[in-house]
Amino acid sequence: IVLTQSPATLSLSPGDRATLSCEASRSVSGSFLAWYQQKPGLAPRLLIYDASSRATGIPDRFSGSGSGTDFTLTISRLEPEDFAVYYCQQYGSSPRTFGQGTKLEIK
Amino acid sequence: QVQLQESGPGLVKPSGTLSLTCAVSGGSISSGNWWSWVRQPPGKGLEWIGEIYHSGSPNYNPSLKSRVTISVDKSNNQFSLRLSSVTAADTAVYFCARVRFGNWFDPWGQGTQVTVSS
């Protein structure tokens, strides 16, 4: 399954609402989709699994939604530490695949 | 809590074999999880390489399957990656990760840079 993330780059200000999209080339079974945050020089960090479940310790300003081929990560009110690259990943079909990433940058 | 740490040579010659180890601490590698390798070429996205269960049943990305071997060393609580016939295209940061409930990756190791160059 090919995952296409949009936009490639999103320029917003702290306090704004961010909406990141992940479109699958075919339906992701069981809504088996995760979102990760990656900052420069660091490993990815799990944010969301099963499309909408927040990982342990993740603030509630992060939320995930969607099913089938269309998924969304929403950050309700951006904090300075949220500016990073975000990846979606599907685990409904083998091989596991990632999207190409969305860079969230400060406007 | 479980922590992972990659180790291995940072420089590999073209046509050679890349070998990395991921040490698992804070938990047993035989705890019923899958264990995986993911890589990230410079400035690019993430690519799943493959995974292994503690009993030694690996799954590989078809795009790399002919060159990849992942194995488990239960006595040392670690797992390993071997990638043969490397080229410059294999230059990347290599991460190991636990595959939680056989699905998502958490946690990740800090990653190790591997450069393929003569």
Side-chain angles (χ1 to χ4, degrees), chain B residues 7 12 26 43 53 63 66-67 70 90:
Chain B
S7 62
V12 182
Y53 198 58
S63 67
S66 63
R67 299 192 291 129
I70 296 176
D90 295 308

Side-chain angles (χ1 to χ4, degrees), chain A residues 23-89:
Chain A
E23 181 178 356
S25 59
R26 54 186 171 90
S27 184
V28 177
S29 62
S31 294
F32 288 153
L33 188 118
W35 290 93
Y36 302 86
Q37 177 193 67
Q38 187 179 32
K39 296 181 178 179
L42 297 181
R45 176 174 72 142
L46 176 70
L47 299 175
I48 302 286
Y49 62 91
D50 290 348
S52 60
S53 297
R54 260 190 311 278
T56 302
I58 301 303
D60 61 7
R61 65 180 181 274
F62 290 90
S63 63
S65 63
S67 63
T69 61
D70 294 298
F71 297 86
T72 301
L73 174 70
T74 301
I75 310 172
S76 60
R77 196 173 55 255
L78 286 167
E79 298 287 342
E81 63 267 26
D82 299 335
F83 292 91
V85 179
Y86 292 83
Y87 294 95
C88 57
Q89 177 241 330

